[in-house]
């Protein structure tokens, strides 16, 4: 334990207990103190009378104050009572909760008068105590040994062992400082006491050097080779082979002690990467770590050919003699197993749950999915905007009232028709139509009726045309038709007659029948023009030429060339 706080006491927490009762409750058969049952922040004043036990003090530090006196000095960490001793009082000034570790021993014998005096002194001297600080223990972790432990790129300790020890520390109320280092250094510092604990494989040799908690994982040591190696299946097959092991690890010190061609590396990732790249012949390490590392680093040419012996115990180890810390680890482990925390951590790191690397991959997948969603939304928005733009263009290129192509689209269609006619050598024509009698409908029935009439005219014109022909509203009551792929000029006359005949049929507008007619001019390509403007101009001129006889005849009839509402006095 690298640092330790001074406990707090209060008058309310003082417990007076005879030495015999204390010994009966706090000591086992070996007289070793197990104080986990003691209350936090308590002072224990031991008032003995006839206890003649010899009690070994396993730890007598600044956390304890020895009051009173004895004729026998403390020798070899032992207090021995004799008949002439007035006694001694050992007062614990440490916060003992069930998550604390305290090792001590005492002999309490004192006269009844001194008992009262010391009790009063203790009661008056405990009011200025300081808050309890958690003891801090140093954990040495193997810097590259996932899924059990490693130092992340952010210099944070991660892994199953780390999460498990953090929860044990929280449960038992102590703090842990994690220090990452190569495995060989882990073992060295644990043996010299520079660190308090680590996680290693237990063995008879290591049992002599360290104290081990109950195992929290079992895994065999396996042999790993490249998939093109068919010679190694047993430990005996490694003779005269170049074998990789982690320096100072279990395989290095115990399984490959006599191996001549032995290559040691600082961590398993380095060894597996070298082996995968074609260096060396095999590697020995824990199966759980090997499988994890092979998967994480995508070493697809690595295979496990066999195991060495039975499964080995992977356990927390503490410095030799630190039984108090060991007891806390075991108790914390038992609590975590009972409440399900241990199983959750095991599932997270070793049983298919997400590891840190998997969390990274999940985060990457999340970002990819998010990016795809953004792209899809962007595509939908772009398509919507494109559709909106297209609709705007459609509205700009189509007449809002009739839905027919407007002048701009007409010119585009006409240019396209000219290009097609030039390539194929076929004939084409442009028809210019003006409605006769439309103005009187507007004046008589109103503009709304006039709009309805224009819509009806557009439908009749479309009905007369082929699918490849273009019917456009040129403006006002004027319409233009582009006829493509004309085989005979006579076909144009037939189409023109059908259009005029269709327009002369009565229209029903706002419940009344309306009669109009049309004037039509025609221009042929290439006889009357070779471009869009010239064809339109000639068709327009032809239309006015066709309208002149109608105007003259109308003047004679007193109608002024205007149509109107049909009634009993009008003829169709």
């Amino acid at each position: 334990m690298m640092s330790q706080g001074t406990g707090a006491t209060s008058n309310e927490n003082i417990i007076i207990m005879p030495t015999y009762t204390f010994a009966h409750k706090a000591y086992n058969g070996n007289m070793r103190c197990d104080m986990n049952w003691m209350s936090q922040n308590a002072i224990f004043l031991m008032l003995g009378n006839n206890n003649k036990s010899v009690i070994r003090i396993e730890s007598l530090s600044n956390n304890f104050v020895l009051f009173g006196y004895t004729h026998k000095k403390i020798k070899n960490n032992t207090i021995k009572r004799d008949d002439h001793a007035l006694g001694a009082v050992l007062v614990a000034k440490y916060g003992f909760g069930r998550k604390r570790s305290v090792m001590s021993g005492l002999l309490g014998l004192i006269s009844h008068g001194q008992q009262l005096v010391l009790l009063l002194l203790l009661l008056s001297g405990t009011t200025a105590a300081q808050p309890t600080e958690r003891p801090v223990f140093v954990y040495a972790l193997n810097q590259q040994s996932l899924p059990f432990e490693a130092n992340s790129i952010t210099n944070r300790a991660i892994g199953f062992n780390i999460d498990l020890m953090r929860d044990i520390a929280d449960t038992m109320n102590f703090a842990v400082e994690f220090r990452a280092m190569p495995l060989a250094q882990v073992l060295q510092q644990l043996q010299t006491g520079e660190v308090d604990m680590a996680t290693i494989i237990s063995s008879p040799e290591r049992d002599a050097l360290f104290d081990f908690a109950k195992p929290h994982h079992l895994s065999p040591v396996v042999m790993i080779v490249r998939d093109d190696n068919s010679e190694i299946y047993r430990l005996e097959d490694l003779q005269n082979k170049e074998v990789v092991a982690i320096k100072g690890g279990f395989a290095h010190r115990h399984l490959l002690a006599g191996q001549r061609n032995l290559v040691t590396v600082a961590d398993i990732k380095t060894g597996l990467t070298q082996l995968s790249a074609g260096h060396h012949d095999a590697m020995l390490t824990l199966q759980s770590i090997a499988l994890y590392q092979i998967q994480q680093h995508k070493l697809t040419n690595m295979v496990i050919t066999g195991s060495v012996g039975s499964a080995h115990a992977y356990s927390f180890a503490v410095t030799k003699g630190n039984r108090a810390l060991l007891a806390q680890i075991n108790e914390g482990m038992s609590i975590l197993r009972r409440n399900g925390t241990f199983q959750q951590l095991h599932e997270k790191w070793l049983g298919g749950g997400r590891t840190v690397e998997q969390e990274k991959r999940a985060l990457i997948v999340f970002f990819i999915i998010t990016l795809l969603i953004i792209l899809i939304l962007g595509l939908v928005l772009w398509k919507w905007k494109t559709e909106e733009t297209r609709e705007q263009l459609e509205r700009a290129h189509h007449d809002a009232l009739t839905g027919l192509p407007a002048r701009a689209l007409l010119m585009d269609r006409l240019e396209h028709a000219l290009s097609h006619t030039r390539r194929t050598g076929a004939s084409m024509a442009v028809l210019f139509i003006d409605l006769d009698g439309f103005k009187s409908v507007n004046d008589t029935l109103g503009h709304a009726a006039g709009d309805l009439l224009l819509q009806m005219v557009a439908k009749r014109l479309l009905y007369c045309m082929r699918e490849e022909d273009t019917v456009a509203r040129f403006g006002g009551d004027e319409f233009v038709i582009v006829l493509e792929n004309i085989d005979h000029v006579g076909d144009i006359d037939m189409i023109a007659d059908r259009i005029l005949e269709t327009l002369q049929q009565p229209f029903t507008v706002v419940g009344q029948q309306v009669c109009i007619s049309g004037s039509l001019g025609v221009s042929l390509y290439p006889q009357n023009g070779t471009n869009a403007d010239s064809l339109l101009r000639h068709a327009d001129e032809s239309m006015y030429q066709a309208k002149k006889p109608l105007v003259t005849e109308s003047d004679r009839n007193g109608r002024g060339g205007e149509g109107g509402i049909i009634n009993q006095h009008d003829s169709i």
Side-chain angles (χ1 to χ4, degrees):
M1 187 168 64
M2 307 310 294
S3 67
Q4 188 165 283
T6 302
T9 60
S10 65
N11 294 343
E12 292 80 359
N13 289 329
I14 290 181
I15 298 174
I16 302 176
M17 184 181 296
T19 304
Y20 173 80
T21 306
F22 171 79
H24 177 72
K25 286 180 175 286
Y27 285 84
N28 56 27
N30 297 322
M31 305 304 292
R32 181 175 294 117
C33 181
D34 181 6
M35 293 187 175
N36 287 327
W37 58 273
M38 294 182 179
S39 309
Q40 190 170 0
N41 299 327
I43 291 180
F44 290 88
L45 177 62
M46 307 309 167
L47 305 176
N49 43 28
N50 58 0
N51 186 359
K52 297 184 180 181
S53 302
V54 175
I55 301 173
R56 179 173 178 80
I57 299 177
E58 300 207 17
S59 175
L60 186 59
S61 66
N62 291 333
N63 295 313
F64 301 94
V65 180
L66 187 62
F67 288 89
Y69 58 90
T70 178
H71 291 291
K72 298 291 185 180
K73 293 183 178 180
I74 298 174
K75 185 177 183 181
N76 297 327
N77 285 339
T78 298
I79 301 178
K80 186 173 182 181
R81 173 194 181 276
D82 66 16
D83 294 335
H84 303 287
L86 291 176
V89 178
L90 184 63
V91 179
K93 293 180 65 179
Y94 191 83
F96 292 119
R98 65 179 179 85
K99 303 176 183 177
R100 303 276 181 180
S101 170
V102 179
M103 292 189 299
S104 69
L106 76 138
L107 176 63
L109 264 182
I110 190 169
S111 68
H112 294 294
Q114 286 179 317
Q115 291 176 12
L116 182 58
V117 172
L118 287 176
L119 177 59
L120 293 175
L121 289 174
L122 287 171
L123 289 174
S124 63
T126 57
T127 57
Q130 298 299 319
T132 302
E133 295 180 4
R134 299 201 304 174
V136 180
F137 298 100
V138 178
Y139 181 105
L141 66 100
N142 190 349
Q143 58 191 9
Q144 287 292 341
S145 190
L146 284 176
F148 292 102
E149 56 190 38
N151 211 29
S152 70
I153 56 176
T154 58
N155 202 32
R156 183 176 182 271
I158 57 174
F160 175 59
N161 297 340
I162 304 304
D163 284 354
L164 185 58
M165 180 51 68
R166 283 195 178 106
D167 284 341
I168 290 173
D170 288 341
T171 301
M172 303 307 295
N173 200 27
F174 62 81
V176 182
E177 175 189 341
F178 294 100
R179 296 180 186 175
M181 58 191 74
L183 179 58
Q185 191 175 347
V186 170
L187 297 171
Q188 178 186 352
Q189 292 198 11
L190 184 61
Q191 187 173 354
T192 59
E194 297 176 68
V195 298
D196 297 298
M197 52 186 168
T199 304
I200 56 178
I201 297 175
S202 60
S203 67
E205 294 83 357
R206 288 178 172 176
D207 285 343
L209 300 175
F210 314 110
D211 287 331
F212 284 88
K214 296 176 183 178
H216 58 269
H217 184 71
L218 297 176
S219 177
V221 174
V222 295
M223 294 176 291
I224 307 164
V225 299
R226 290 182 294 276
D227 54 13
D228 59 356
N229 191 322
S230 59
E231 300 177 354
I232 300 174
Y233 297 97
R234 300 174 302 170
L235 192 61
E236 292 78 11
D237 297 332
L238 296 177
Q239 293 183 5
N240 301 320
K241 300 292 184 181
E242 196 171 80
V243 185
V244 184
I246 300 175
K247 185 177 181 181
F250 183 80
H252 175 204
R253 296 299 185 191
H254 302 282
L255 301 178
L256 299 172
Q259 184 73 23
R260 290 199 297 178
N261 299 325
L262 180 63
V263 178
T264 59
V265 292
D267 54 74
I268 187 172
K269 177 184 175 182
T270 302
L272 288 174
T273 304
Q274 291 180 5
L275 184 62
S276 176
H279 307 292
H280 324 306
D281 298 304
M283 182 174 185
L284 264 65
T285 188
L286 279 181
Q287 176 178 290
S288 302
I289 303 177
L291 289 175
Y292 181 92
Q293 295 287 335
I294 288 171
Q295 178 184 3
Q296 295 302 307
H297 301 295
K298 295 180 173 58
L299 305 176
T300 55
N301 63 335
M302 296 285 93
V303 294
I304 294 175
T305 59
S307 60
V308 182
S310 58
H312 298 275
Y314 205 40
S315 311
F316 292 119
V318 301
T319 52
K320 194 66 177 176
N322 196 347
R323 296 301 182 90
L325 177 57
L326 190 66
Q328 290 188 90
I329 292 174
N330 281 329
E331 183 180 349
M333 185 92 67
S334 298
I335 293 172
L336 296 182
R337 287 182 184 274
R338 289 196 300 270
N339 64 24
T341 302
F342 179 89
Q343 290 77 6
Q344 292 174 6
L345 293 177
H346 193 278
E347 177 68 18
K348 172 184 176 182
W349 289 100
L350 301 168
R354 283 186 174 180
T355 63
V356 172
E357 294 298 327
Q358 288 171 328
E359 290 287 354
K360 290 181 182 177
R361 288 201 300 271
L363 190 60
I364 293 173
V365 171
F366 170 76
F367 280 124
I368 292 174
I369 293 175
T370 303
L371 181 61
L372 287 175
I373 292 174
I374 292 173
L375 289 176
I376 291 172
L377 290 176
L379 182 62
V380 170
L381 181 61
W382 174 81
K383 186 175 181 180
W384 177 74
K385 291 295 291 183
T386 303
E387 287 291 330
E388 186 180 32
T389 303
R390 187 184 65 79
E391 290 175 0
Q392 290 175 350
L393 290 175
E394 287 288 329
R395 288 194 293 270
H397 287 83
H398 286 76
D399 177 51
L401 180 64
T402 62
L404 297 177
R407 184 175 300 194
L409 184 56
L410 168 67
M411 299 304 292
D412 182 72
R413 297 272 184 91
L414 188 53
E415 291 291 348
H416 182 272
L418 285 169
S419 298
H420 176 72
T421 301
R422 291 187 189 107
R423 288 196 309 270
T424 61
S427 299
M428 64 168 290
V430 175
L431 280 61
F432 203 108
I433 304 169
D434 180 75
L435 299 181
D436 299 318
F438 177 75
K439 184 176 183 300
S440 65
V441 175
N442 258 346
D443 294 341
T444 306
L445 300 179
H447 290 284
D451 291 343
L452 288 175
L453 180 59
L454 289 174
Q455 291 173 348
M456 294 178 183
V457 168
K459 289 180 179 179
R460 289 191 183 185
L461 292 177
L462 288 172
Y463 179 76
C464 294
M465 298 297 103
R466 301 168 300 175
E467 187 175 350
E468 64 265 27
D469 298 331
T470 297
V471 180
R473 185 184 179 194
F474 199 70
D477 59 351
E478 296 177 332
F479 296 86
V480 173
I481 296 174
V482 179
L483 301 177
E484 297 185 60
N485 301 316
I486 302 299
D487 296 328
H488 304 285
V489 176
D491 295 339
I492 301 174
D493 293 335
M494 184 175 61
I495 293 171
D497 290 340
R498 185 164 67 239
I499 290 172
L500 294 176
E501 183 180 350
T502 299
L503 293 177
Q504 288 176 356
Q505 300 300 318
F507 294 87
T508 301
V509 180
V510 292
Q512 301 192 53
Q513 284 190 328
V514 174
C515 181
I516 62 172
S517 61
S519 298
L520 189 150
V522 179
S523 64
L524 300 176
Y525 172 86
Q527 294 90 330
N528 305 125
T530 57
N531 56 52
D533 289 334
S534 61
L535 287 172
L536 282 171
R537 186 171 58 252
H538 187 279
D540 187 23
E541 292 172 355
S542 299
M543 183 269 297
Y544 276 106
Q545 290 296 325
K547 189 184 277 290
K548 283 182 180 180
L550 178 63
V551 171
T552 303
E553 182 68 21
S554 298
D555 288 342
R556 285 199 298 267
N557 294 331
R559 300 175 65 131
E562 297 293 339
I565 302 171
I566 298 176
N567 53 46
Q568 56 185 358
H569 301 293
D570 293 325
S571 60
I572 296 176

